Amino acid sequence: MKIILNGEPRVVQAMTLTDLLTECGLTGRVATAVNEEFVASSLRMSCRLKDGDRVEVLSPMQGG
Amino acid sequence: MKDFYGTQLPNALMLGTAQYPSPAILEQAFRASGASVATVSLRRESGAGQAFWQMIRDLGVTVLPNTAGCHTVKEAVTTAQMAREVFDTKWIKLELIGHTDSLQPDVFQLVEAARILTEDGFRVFPYTTDDLIVGERLLEAGCEVLMPWGAPIGSGRGLSNTYALRAMRAAFPDVPLVIDAGIGVPSHAAQAMELGYDAVLLNTAVARAGDPVEMARAMALAIEAGQRAYQADPIEQRDMAEPSTPVIGKAFLS
């Protein structure tokens, strides 16, 4: 299916958020949001993706 | 020193982690200054985040994630929720930017987001202006710390309105107050502490200095000097001179 991952269009096999992270190699310490809503790590397995979903995967970064 | 949501910090320097010439210099700046808090953020995963996080953990400092760049309540709240999970802390430096040129806080949205986050269990550190009424509203919303700006972020202009900052200190004697943003040189940081502020949060002044490590150390020393000076109860300013050498007993020689 087609999704938007961190602003980039992607075609992926994954059906859940957990599978998406694995498929895209995003295995580090990250936080996730789907369609602008936070998805806790404990809910990623049950978070089913659908065509057109906008997924954000964020990681620690420098900040002021 | 006042505690911040029950946490006693070993010193009053909160240091940002952005804009350093290299990760090694960032690390040295923290070690040289002994900064007690590191501000961090969340950005789209690019591969560099994991090493950065490991380095911050190894510093052993308290981590304060921010919501930098957020312009709406919704965006800030979602960012805070994501930061809480990644950094495993309830502390959040709440930034709600009103203008892209001045990076001035949108205090109306700030109060609303502070209320939502406090009700959700966050410990909110609001980046605000020096407006007293906004300060009151933030406290009513559940904030137990206020972080007024000294000057716009990254401007290095020092404390633009010491009158307002002094009034804020007087209005909220028991609230931990942090000068956040606008510091350019150590004397600005010392001045903030001389006004009785509890901490100073700065980033650009250190990270963009020619020698960030030496500047970090200079900031730490200035903050300690200002803090000691405040505790030592400075004299009042006068308009006229007052001789410091005793007049009585002066020889009559003219």
Side-chain angles (χ1 to χ4, degrees), chain A residues 6-7 26 28-33 36-42 44 56-64, chain B residues 16-18 39-45 49-50 52-53 66 74 78 81-82 85-88 93 95 203:
Chain A
N6 284 349
L26 302 169
R29 196 177 181 89
V30 295
T32 49
E36 294 82 47
E37 295 290 340
F38 169 58
V39 180
S41 59
S42 57
R44 284 177 198 154
E56 291 284 340
V57 181
L58 306 187
S59 64
M61 196 57 59
Q62 292 85 349
Chain B
T17 57
T39 55
V40 295
S41 73
L42 279 180
R43 287 294 180 261
R44 284 170 170 171
E45 163 72 351
Q50 310 305 324
F52 169 70
W53 175 231
N66 68 27
K74 163 91 173 119
T78 303
Q81 290 167 333
M82 296 174 88
E85 186 177 84
V86 163
F87 295 111
D88 195 22
K93 174 182 163 180
E95 281 185 48
N203 189 158

mmCIF file of all heavy atoms in Angstrom, chain A residues 6-7 26 28-33 36-42 44 56-64, chain B residues 16-18 39-45 49-50 52-53 66 74 78 81-82 85-88 93 95 203:
data_model
loop_
_atom_site.group_PDB
_atom_site.id
_atom_site.type_symbol
_atom_site.label_atom_id
_atom_site.label_comp_id
_atom_site.label_asym_id
_atom_site.label_seq_id
_atom_site.Cartn_x
_atom_site.Cartn_y
_atom_site.Cartn_z
ATOM 1 N N ASN A 6 7.366 10.116 6.995
ATOM 2 C CA ASN A 6 8.181 11.318 7.226
ATOM 3 C C ASN A 6 8.187 12.236 6.006
ATOM 4 O O ASN A 6 9.227 12.740 5.586
ATOM 5 C CB ASN A 6 9.609 10.935 7.626
ATOM 6 C CG ASN A 6 9.678 10.458 9.074
ATOM 7 O OD1 ASN A 6 8.708 10.599 9.823
ATOM 8 N ND2 ASN A 6 10.791 9.884 9.459
ATOM 9 N N GLY A 7 7.016 12.410 5.441
ATOM 10 C CA GLY A 7 6.852 13.352 4.343
ATOM 11 C C GLY A 7 7.150 12.787 2.961
ATOM 12 O O GLY A 7 6.933 13.463 1.963
ATOM 13 N N LEU A 26 13.719 0.996 10.909
ATOM 14 C CA LEU A 26 13.675 2.020 11.970
ATOM 15 C C LEU A 26 13.580 1.324 13.324
ATOM 16 O O LEU A 26 12.532 1.306 13.973
ATOM 17 C CB LEU A 26 12.482 2.960 11.741
ATOM 18 C CG LEU A 26 12.497 3.680 10.386
ATOM 19 C CD1 LEU A 26 11.172 4.370 10.107
ATOM 20 C CD2 LEU A 26 13.638 4.684 10.338
ATOM 21 N N GLY A 28 15.643 1.792 16.044
ATOM 22 C CA GLY A 28 16.177 2.493 17.217
ATOM 23 C C GLY A 28 15.086 3.026 18.112
ATOM 24 O O GLY A 28 13.908 2.647 18.011
ATOM 25 N N ARG A 29 15.488 3.940 18.991
ATOM 26 C CA ARG A 29 14.547 4.563 19.919
ATOM 27 C C ARG A 29 13.790 5.664 19.174
ATOM 28 O O ARG A 29 14.346 6.718 18.890
ATOM 29 C CB ARG A 29 15.346 5.152 21.081
ATOM 30 C CG ARG A 29 14.527 5.494 22.301
ATOM 31 C CD ARG A 29 15.438 5.993 23.390
ATOM 32 N NE ARG A 29 14.675 6.305 24.581
ATOM 33 C CZ ARG A 29 14.404 5.434 25.537
ATOM 34 N NH1 ARG A 29 14.843 4.206 25.450
ATOM 35 N NH2 ARG A 29 13.703 5.793 26.591
ATOM 36 N N VAL A 30 12.537 5.405 18.857
ATOM 37 C CA VAL A 30 11.748 6.358 18.078
ATOM 38 C C VAL A 30 10.371 6.546 18.715
ATOM 39 O O VAL A 30 9.933 5.734 19.530
ATOM 40 C CB VAL A 30 11.555 5.890 16.616
ATOM 41 C CG1 VAL A 30 12.888 5.845 15.874
ATOM 42 C CG2 VAL A 30 10.833 4.551 16.551
ATOM 43 N N ALA A 31 9.728 7.644 18.323
ATOM 44 C CA ALA A 31 8.328 7.872 18.681
ATOM 45 C C ALA A 31 7.531 7.976 17.388
ATOM 46 O O ALA A 31 8.060 8.419 16.364
ATOM 47 C CB ALA A 31 8.189 9.158 19.489
ATOM 48 N N THR A 32 6.267 7.563 17.441
ATOM 49 C CA THR A 32 5.487 7.477 16.219
ATOM 50 C C THR A 32 4.172 8.243 16.318
ATOM 51 O O THR A 32 3.571 8.354 17.387
ATOM 52 C CB THR A 32 5.161 5.998 15.902
ATOM 53 O OG1 THR A 32 4.649 5.370 17.076
ATOM 54 C CG2 THR A 32 6.393 5.259 15.430
ATOM 55 N N ALA A 33 3.741 8.749 15.166
ATOM 56 C CA ALA A 33 2.418 9.371 15.046
ATOM 57 C C ALA A 33 1.841 8.958 13.694
ATOM 58 O O ALA A 33 2.574 8.816 12.719
ATOM 59 C CB ALA A 33 2.521 10.887 15.133
ATOM 60 N N GLU A 36 -1.159 12.587 12.338
ATOM 61 C CA GLU A 36 -1.013 13.663 13.336
ATOM 62 C C GLU A 36 -1.436 13.260 14.742
ATOM 63 O O GLU A 36 -1.564 14.120 15.621
ATOM 64 C CB GLU A 36 -1.751 14.952 12.930
ATOM 65 C CG GLU A 36 -1.184 15.635 11.681
ATOM 66 C CD GLU A 36 -1.697 15.014 10.400
ATOM 67 O OE1 GLU A 36 -2.908 14.789 10.300
ATOM 68 O OE2 GLU A 36 -0.892 14.737 9.488
ATOM 69 N N GLU A 37 -1.696 11.970 14.980
ATOM 70 C CA GLU A 37 -2.024 11.517 16.337
ATOM 71 C C GLU A 37 -0.893 10.642 16.848
ATOM 72 O O GLU A 37 -0.447 9.715 16.160
ATOM 73 C CB GLU A 37 -3.337 10.698 16.338
ATOM 74 C CG GLU A 37 -4.581 11.485 15.952
ATOM 75 C CD GLU A 37 -5.017 12.503 17.006
ATOM 76 O OE1 GLU A 37 -4.606 12.362 18.181
ATOM 77 O OE2 GLU A 37 -5.748 13.445 16.634
ATOM 78 N N PHE A 38 -0.463 10.905 18.087
ATOM 79 C CA PHE A 38 0.583 10.100 18.714
ATOM 80 C C PHE A 38 0.131 8.644 18.855
ATOM 81 O O PHE A 38 -1.008 8.383 19.261
ATOM 82 C CB PHE A 38 0.878 10.690 20.097
ATOM 83 C CG PHE A 38 1.742 9.839 20.976
ATOM 84 C CD1 PHE A 38 3.017 9.459 20.574
ATOM 85 C CD2 PHE A 38 1.286 9.425 22.223
ATOM 86 C CE1 PHE A 38 3.821 8.676 21.401
ATOM 87 C CE2 PHE A 38 2.085 8.653 23.054
ATOM 88 C CZ PHE A 38 3.347 8.281 22.636
ATOM 89 N N VAL A 39 1.005 7.716 18.520
ATOM 90 C CA VAL A 39 0.731 6.294 18.748
ATOM 91 C C VAL A 39 1.820 5.764 19.678
ATOM 92 O O VAL A 39 2.993 5.697 19.300
ATOM 93 C CB VAL A 39 0.724 5.485 17.428
ATOM 94 C CG1 VAL A 39 0.446 4.015 17.721
ATOM 95 C CG2 VAL A 39 -0.307 6.049 16.458
ATOM 96 N N ALA A 40 1.432 5.411 20.898
ATOM 97 C CA ALA A 40 2.401 4.910 21.881
ATOM 98 C C ALA A 40 3.014 3.607 21.378
ATOM 99 O O ALA A 40 2.372 2.854 20.626
ATOM 100 C CB ALA A 40 1.703 4.693 23.217
ATOM 101 N N SER A 41 4.231 3.330 21.820
ATOM 102 C CA SER A 41 4.926 2.127 21.329
ATOM 103 C C SER A 41 4.132 0.861 21.644
ATOM 104 O O SER A 41 4.136 -0.098 20.868
ATOM 105 C CB SER A 41 6.332 2.052 21.919
ATOM 106 O OG SER A 41 6.267 2.008 23.321
ATOM 107 N N SER A 42 3.405 0.868 22.777
ATOM 108 C CA SER A 42 2.632 -0.314 23.162
ATOM 109 C C SER A 42 1.439 -0.558 22.232
ATOM 110 O O SER A 42 0.858 -1.648 22.236
ATOM 111 C CB SER A 42 2.137 -0.156 24.607
ATOM 112 O OG SER A 42 1.369 1.028 24.711
ATOM 113 N N ARG A 44 1.609 0.060 18.812
ATOM 114 C CA ARG A 44 2.022 -0.010 17.403
ATOM 115 C C ARG A 44 1.598 -1.313 16.728
ATOM 116 O O ARG A 44 1.251 -1.339 15.562
ATOM 117 C CB ARG A 44 3.548 0.122 17.308
ATOM 118 C CG ARG A 44 4.029 1.547 17.498
ATOM 119 C CD ARG A 44 5.546 1.616 17.473
ATOM 120 N NE ARG A 44 5.999 2.859 18.051
ATOM 121 C CZ ARG A 44 7.195 3.020 18.618
ATOM 122 N NH1 ARG A 44 8.043 2.003 18.673
ATOM 123 N NH2 ARG A 44 7.528 4.190 19.132
ATOM 124 N N GLU A 56 4.625 9.554 10.948
ATOM 125 C CA GLU A 56 5.819 10.283 11.361
ATOM 126 C C GLU A 56 6.612 9.412 12.337
ATOM 127 O O GLU A 56 6.046 8.859 13.299
ATOM 128 C CB GLU A 56 5.448 11.594 12.076
ATOM 129 C CG GLU A 56 4.815 12.640 11.154
ATOM 130 C CD GLU A 56 5.815 13.343 10.236
ATOM 131 O OE1 GLU A 56 7.028 13.332 10.532
ATOM 132 O OE2 GLU A 56 5.366 13.898 9.211
ATOM 133 N N VAL A 57 7.902 9.270 12.086
ATOM 134 C CA VAL A 57 8.784 8.514 12.968
ATOM 135 C C VAL A 57 9.908 9.458 13.397
ATOM 136 O O VAL A 57 10.714 9.888 12.569
ATOM 137 C CB VAL A 57 9.364 7.268 12.263
ATOM 138 C CG1 VAL A 57 10.269 6.492 13.212
ATOM 139 C CG2 VAL A 57 8.233 6.377 11.746
ATOM 140 N N LEU A 58 9.911 9.802 14.665
ATOM 141 C CA LEU A 58 10.853 10.800 15.163
ATOM 142 C C LEU A 58 11.867 10.169 16.110
ATOM 143 O O LEU A 58 11.577 9.190 16.791
ATOM 144 C CB LEU A 58 10.101 11.916 15.908
ATOM 145 C CG LEU A 58 8.958 12.611 15.145
ATOM 146 C CD1 LEU A 58 8.438 13.796 15.960
ATOM 147 C CD2 LEU A 58 9.387 13.070 13.770
ATOM 148 N N SER A 59 13.054 10.762 16.142
ATOM 149 C CA SER A 59 14.091 10.259 17.036
ATOM 150 C C SER A 59 14.769 11.428 17.741
ATOM 151 O O SER A 59 14.580 12.584 17.368
ATOM 152 C CB SER A 59 15.107 9.432 16.249
ATOM 153 O OG SER A 59 15.768 10.244 15.329
ATOM 154 N N PRO A 60 15.558 11.124 18.781
ATOM 155 C CA PRO A 60 16.214 12.190 19.537
ATOM 156 C C PRO A 60 17.111 13.036 18.642
ATOM 157 O O PRO A 60 17.779 12.519 17.750
ATOM 158 C CB PRO A 60 17.061 11.433 20.574
ATOM 159 C CG PRO A 60 16.392 10.118 20.714
ATOM 160 C CD PRO A 60 15.859 9.805 19.346
ATOM 161 N N MET A 61 17.096 14.324 18.915
ATOM 162 C CA MET A 61 17.891 15.250 18.112
ATOM 163 C C MET A 61 18.352 16.404 19.007
ATOM 164 O O MET A 61 17.771 16.650 20.056
ATOM 165 C CB MET A 61 17.021 15.772 16.958
ATOM 166 C CG MET A 61 17.777 16.428 15.827
ATOM 167 S SD MET A 61 19.032 15.366 15.085
ATOM 168 C CE MET A 61 18.033 13.980 14.522
ATOM 169 N N GLN A 62 19.392 17.105 18.553
ATOM 170 C CA GLN A 62 19.876 18.266 19.282
ATOM 171 C C GLN A 62 18.778 19.330 19.360
ATOM 172 O O GLN A 62 18.008 19.485 18.415
ATOM 173 C CB GLN A 62 21.098 18.868 18.569
ATOM 174 C CG GLN A 62 22.337 18.001 18.602
ATOM 175 C CD GLN A 62 22.363 16.967 17.489
ATOM 176 O OE1 GLN A 62 21.388 16.750 16.798
ATOM 177 N NE2 GLN A 62 23.500 16.290 17.348
ATOM 178 N N GLY A 63 18.751 20.049 20.475
ATOM 179 C CA GLY A 63 17.730 21.092 20.620
ATOM 180 C C GLY A 63 18.147 22.131 21.643
ATOM 181 O O GLY A 63 19.035 21.895 22.474
ATOM 182 N N GLY A 64 17.509 23.287 21.549
ATOM 183 C CA GLY A 64 17.862 24.374 22.468
ATOM 184 C C GLY A 64 16.743 24.733 23.405
ATOM 185 O O GLY A 64 15.730 24.064 23.481
ATOM 186 N N GLY B 16 21.629 24.129 26.027
ATOM 187 C CA GLY B 16 21.095 23.503 24.823
ATOM 188 C C GLY B 16 22.139 22.641 24.144
ATOM 189 O O GLY B 16 23.342 22.763 24.402
ATOM 190 N N THR B 17 21.678 21.769 23.259
ATOM 191 C CA THR B 17 22.591 20.812 22.620
ATOM 192 C C THR B 17 22.709 21.037 21.108
ATOM 193 O O THR B 17 23.346 20.250 20.417
ATOM 194 C CB THR B 17 22.102 19.365 22.871
ATOM 195 O OG1 THR B 17 20.758 19.231 22.369
ATOM 196 C CG2 THR B 17 22.126 19.027 24.350
ATOM 197 N N ALA B 18 22.107 22.124 20.604
ATOM 198 C CA ALA B 18 22.082 22.344 19.153
ATOM 199 C C ALA B 18 23.227 23.251 18.699
ATOM 200 O O ALA B 18 23.767 24.024 19.494
ATOM 201 C CB ALA B 18 20.756 22.969 18.746
ATOM 202 N N THR B 39 18.875 20.483 27.091
ATOM 203 C CA THR B 39 17.653 20.502 26.302
ATOM 204 C C THR B 39 17.872 19.719 25.009
ATOM 205 O O THR B 39 18.948 19.761 24.417
ATOM 206 C CB THR B 39 17.190 21.937 25.969
ATOM 207 O OG1 THR B 39 18.251 22.640 25.337
ATOM 208 C CG2 THR B 39 16.761 22.675 27.217
ATOM 209 N N VAL B 40 16.846 19.003 24.607
ATOM 210 C CA VAL B 40 16.911 18.140 23.416
ATOM 211 C C VAL B 40 15.599 18.280 22.651
ATOM 212 O O VAL B 40 14.650 18.891 23.143
ATOM 213 C CB VAL B 40 17.127 16.657 23.812
ATOM 214 C CG1 VAL B 40 18.481 16.464 24.477
ATOM 215 C CG2 VAL B 40 16.007 16.175 24.737
ATOM 216 N N SER B 41 15.560 17.714 21.463
ATOM 217 C CA SER B 41 14.335 17.801 20.669
ATOM 218 C C SER B 41 14.078 16.484 19.948
ATOM 219 O O SER B 41 14.835 15.509 20.103
ATOM 220 C CB SER B 41 14.431 18.948 19.663
ATOM 221 O OG SER B 41 15.314 18.599 18.621
ATOM 222 N N LEU B 42 13.023 16.469 19.168
ATOM 223 C CA LEU B 42 12.675 15.310 18.340
ATOM 224 C C LEU B 42 12.601 15.777 16.893
ATOM 225 O O LEU B 42 11.996 16.798 16.605
ATOM 226 C CB LEU B 42 11.288 14.776 18.712
ATOM 227 C CG LEU B 42 11.152 13.878 19.915
ATOM 228 C CD1 LEU B 42 9.689 13.490 20.079
ATOM 229 C CD2 LEU B 42 12.018 12.639 19.790
ATOM 230 N N ARG B 43 13.217 15.026 16.012
ATOM 231 C CA ARG B 43 13.100 15.318 14.590
ATOM 232 C C ARG B 43 12.960 13.995 13.850
ATOM 233 O O ARG B 43 13.184 12.930 14.415
ATOM 234 C CB ARG B 43 14.339 16.079 14.093
ATOM 235 C CG ARG B 43 14.385 17.543 14.553
ATOM 236 C CD ARG B 43 13.281 18.377 13.943
ATOM 237 N NE ARG B 43 13.286 19.776 14.360
ATOM 238 C CZ ARG B 43 12.498 20.282 15.312
ATOM 239 N NH1 ARG B 43 11.664 19.501 15.978
ATOM 240 N NH2 ARG B 43 12.541 21.571 15.605
ATOM 241 N N ARG B 44 12.592 14.103 12.572
ATOM 242 C CA ARG B 44 12.420 12.896 11.774
ATOM 243 C C ARG B 44 13.684 12.042 11.809
ATOM 244 O O ARG B 44 14.785 12.554 11.635
ATOM 245 C CB ARG B 44 12.056 13.270 10.338
ATOM 246 C CG ARG B 44 10.614 13.719 10.215
ATOM 247 C CD ARG B 44 10.313 14.315 8.869
ATOM 248 N NE ARG B 44 8.869 14.520 8.707
ATOM 249 C CZ ARG B 44 8.320 15.189 7.686
ATOM 250 N NH1 ARG B 44 9.082 15.710 6.764
ATOM 251 N NH2 ARG B 44 7.008 15.307 7.613
ATOM 252 N N GLU B 45 13.476 10.750 12.014
ATOM 253 C CA GLU B 45 14.587 9.812 12.137
ATOM 254 C C GLU B 45 15.464 9.860 10.886
ATOM 255 O O GLU B 45 14.983 9.671 9.775
ATOM 256 C CB GLU B 45 14.025 8.395 12.351
ATOM 257 C CG GLU B 45 14.993 7.267 12.112
ATOM 258 C CD GLU B 45 16.065 7.152 13.181
ATOM 259 O OE1 GLU B 45 16.184 8.043 14.034
ATOM 260 O OE2 GLU B 45 16.809 6.166 13.145
ATOM 261 N N GLY B 49 20.153 10.038 15.286
ATOM 262 C CA GLY B 49 19.535 10.269 16.587
ATOM 263 C C GLY B 49 19.977 9.321 17.686
ATOM 264 O O GLY B 49 20.091 9.713 18.845
ATOM 265 N N GLN B 50 20.253 8.089 17.327
ATOM 266 C CA GLN B 50 20.541 7.083 18.359
ATOM 267 C C GLN B 50 21.889 7.349 19.037
ATOM 268 O O GLN B 50 22.018 7.244 20.253
ATOM 269 C CB GLN B 50 20.489 5.673 17.764
ATOM 270 C CG GLN B 50 19.213 5.383 16.957
ATOM 271 C CD GLN B 50 17.908 5.633 17.725
ATOM 272 O OE1 GLN B 50 17.834 5.393 18.924
ATOM 273 N NE2 GLN B 50 16.883 6.140 17.044
ATOM 274 N N PHE B 52 23.375 10.232 19.198
ATOM 275 C CA PHE B 52 23.208 11.462 19.978
ATOM 276 C C PHE B 52 22.589 11.150 21.339
ATOM 277 O O PHE B 52 23.069 11.616 22.376
ATOM 278 C CB PHE B 52 22.327 12.445 19.199
ATOM 279 C CG PHE B 52 21.873 13.620 20.025
ATOM 280 C CD1 PHE B 52 22.780 14.594 20.430
ATOM 281 C CD2 PHE B 52 20.542 13.742 20.413
ATOM 282 C CE1 PHE B 52 22.366 15.670 21.205
ATOM 283 C CE2 PHE B 52 20.130 14.815 21.187
ATOM 284 C CZ PHE B 52 21.036 15.780 21.582
ATOM 285 N N TRP B 53 21.554 10.342 21.326
ATOM 286 C CA TRP B 53 20.865 10.010 22.572
ATOM 287 C C TRP B 53 21.798 9.263 23.538
ATOM 288 O O TRP B 53 21.808 9.518 24.735
ATOM 289 C CB TRP B 53 19.612 9.193 22.256
ATOM 290 C CG TRP B 53 18.868 8.691 23.458
ATOM 291 C CD1 TRP B 53 18.460 7.409 23.696
ATOM 292 C CD2 TRP B 53 18.411 9.462 24.594
ATOM 293 N NE1 TRP B 53 17.794 7.340 24.891
ATOM 294 C CE2 TRP B 53 17.752 8.568 25.464
ATOM 295 C CE3 TRP B 53 18.518 10.803 24.945
ATOM 296 C CZ2 TRP B 53 17.202 8.989 26.671
ATOM 297 C CZ3 TRP B 53 17.966 11.219 26.150
ATOM 298 C CH2 TRP B 53 17.320 10.316 26.994
ATOM 299 N N ASN B 66 12.189 19.634 24.252
ATOM 300 C CA ASN B 66 11.418 20.826 23.905
ATOM 301 C C ASN B 66 10.380 20.527 22.825
ATOM 302 O O ASN B 66 10.361 19.446 22.241
ATOM 303 C CB ASN B 66 12.343 21.966 23.480
ATOM 304 C CG ASN B 66 13.039 21.699 22.163
ATOM 305 O OD1 ASN B 66 12.552 20.969 21.313
ATOM 306 N ND2 ASN B 66 14.211 22.300 21.970
ATOM 307 N N LYS B 74 -2.164 21.723 19.178
ATOM 308 C CA LYS B 74 -2.233 20.305 18.783
ATOM 309 C C LYS B 74 -0.833 19.746 18.490
ATOM 310 O O LYS B 74 -0.456 18.670 18.957
ATOM 311 C CB LYS B 74 -3.140 20.204 17.543
ATOM 312 C CG LYS B 74 -3.029 18.935 16.760
ATOM 313 C CD LYS B 74 -4.028 17.918 17.251
ATOM 314 C CE LYS B 74 -4.032 16.698 16.355
ATOM 315 N NZ LYS B 74 -3.667 15.496 17.066
ATOM 316 N N THR B 78 1.106 16.920 20.775
ATOM 317 C CA THR B 78 1.535 15.647 20.170
ATOM 318 C C THR B 78 3.049 15.483 20.286
ATOM 319 O O THR B 78 3.545 14.405 20.627
ATOM 320 C CB THR B 78 1.104 15.585 18.683
ATOM 321 O OG1 THR B 78 -0.314 15.770 18.617
ATOM 322 C CG2 THR B 78 1.463 14.250 18.061
ATOM 323 N N GLN B 81 3.923 14.490 23.786
ATOM 324 C CA GLN B 81 3.615 13.078 24.052
ATOM 325 C C GLN B 81 4.691 12.171 23.465
ATOM 326 O O GLN B 81 5.098 11.186 24.097
ATOM 327 C CB GLN B 81 2.249 12.723 23.439
ATOM 328 C CG GLN B 81 1.083 13.373 24.161
ATOM 329 C CD GLN B 81 -0.216 13.268 23.377
ATOM 330 O OE1 GLN B 81 -0.229 13.185 22.143
ATOM 331 N NE2 GLN B 81 -1.328 13.273 24.100
ATOM 332 N N MET B 82 5.156 12.508 22.277
ATOM 333 C CA MET B 82 6.206 11.706 21.637
ATOM 334 C C MET B 82 7.519 11.839 22.406
ATOM 335 O O MET B 82 8.242 10.860 22.605
ATOM 336 C CB MET B 82 6.366 12.135 20.176
ATOM 337 C CG MET B 82 5.113 11.870 19.351
ATOM 338 S SD MET B 82 5.182 12.511 17.661
ATOM 339 C CE MET B 82 5.943 11.145 16.789
ATOM 340 N N GLU B 85 7.720 9.746 25.623
ATOM 341 C CA GLU B 85 8.023 8.320 25.417
ATOM 342 C C GLU B 85 9.487 8.102 25.069
ATOM 343 O O GLU B 85 10.147 7.229 25.638
ATOM 344 C CB GLU B 85 7.135 7.757 24.307
ATOM 345 C CG GLU B 85 7.296 6.262 24.155
ATOM 346 C CD GLU B 85 6.364 5.707 23.096
ATOM 347 O OE1 GLU B 85 6.716 5.747 21.901
ATOM 348 O OE2 GLU B 85 5.282 5.246 23.471
ATOM 349 N N VAL B 86 10.001 8.900 24.136
ATOM 350 C CA VAL B 86 11.379 8.684 23.679
ATOM 351 C C VAL B 86 12.390 8.993 24.787
ATOM 352 O O VAL B 86 13.347 8.251 24.994
ATOM 353 C CB VAL B 86 11.675 9.533 22.426
ATOM 354 C CG1 VAL B 86 13.172 9.642 22.187
ATOM 355 C CG2 VAL B 86 11.017 8.915 21.208
ATOM 356 N N PHE B 87 12.185 10.088 25.498
ATOM 357 C CA PHE B 87 13.182 10.511 26.486
ATOM 358 C C PHE B 87 12.850 10.024 27.889
ATOM 359 O O PHE B 87 13.612 10.261 28.826
ATOM 360 C CB PHE B 87 13.312 12.040 26.482
ATOM 361 C CG PHE B 87 13.862 12.580 25.189
ATOM 362 C CD1 PHE B 87 13.059 13.320 24.329
ATOM 363 C CD2 PHE B 87 15.168 12.334 24.811
ATOM 364 C CE1 PHE B 87 13.551 13.819 23.131
ATOM 365 C CE2 PHE B 87 15.672 12.823 23.620
ATOM 366 C CZ PHE B 87 14.868 13.565 22.772
ATOM 367 N N ASP B 88 11.710 9.374 28.032
ATOM 368 C CA ASP B 88 11.324 8.779 29.304
ATOM 369 C C ASP B 88 11.333 9.800 30.445
ATOM 370 O O ASP B 88 11.923 9.582 31.500
ATOM 371 C CB ASP B 88 12.262 7.597 29.627
ATOM 372 C CG ASP B 88 11.680 6.735 30.738
ATOM 373 O OD1 ASP B 88 10.460 6.766 30.954
ATOM 374 O OD2 ASP B 88 12.473 6.036 31.419
ATOM 375 N N LYS B 93 9.888 21.270 27.918
ATOM 376 C CA LYS B 93 10.026 22.710 27.679
ATOM 377 C C LYS B 93 9.019 23.061 26.603
ATOM 378 O O LYS B 93 9.187 22.699 25.431
ATOM 379 C CB LYS B 93 11.449 23.056 27.227
ATOM 380 C CG LYS B 93 11.587 24.521 26.831
ATOM 381 C CD LYS B 93 12.979 24.867 26.322
ATOM 382 C CE LYS B 93 12.928 26.190 25.569
ATOM 383 N NZ LYS B 93 14.240 26.593 25.042
ATOM 384 N N GLU B 95 7.313 25.169 24.063
ATOM 385 C CA GLU B 95 7.486 26.318 23.168
ATOM 386 C C GLU B 95 6.310 26.345 22.219
ATOM 387 O O GLU B 95 6.039 25.353 21.542
ATOM 388 C CB GLU B 95 8.747 26.162 22.305
ATOM 389 C CG GLU B 95 10.039 26.490 22.985
ATOM 390 C CD GLU B 95 11.214 26.431 22.011
ATOM 391 O OE1 GLU B 95 11.127 27.003 20.909
ATOM 392 O OE2 GLU B 95 12.213 25.791 22.352
ATOM 393 N N ASN B 203 21.866 28.445 24.761
ATOM 394 C CA ASN B 203 22.377 27.504 23.765
ATOM 395 C C ASN B 203 23.314 28.199 22.776
ATOM 396 O O ASN B 203 24.517 27.973 22.752
ATOM 397 C CB ASN B 203 21.199 26.852 23.032
ATOM 398 C CG ASN B 203 21.613 25.695 22.112
ATOM 399 O OD1 ASN B 203 20.795 24.841 21.788
ATOM 400 N ND2 ASN B 203 22.842 25.622 21.670
#
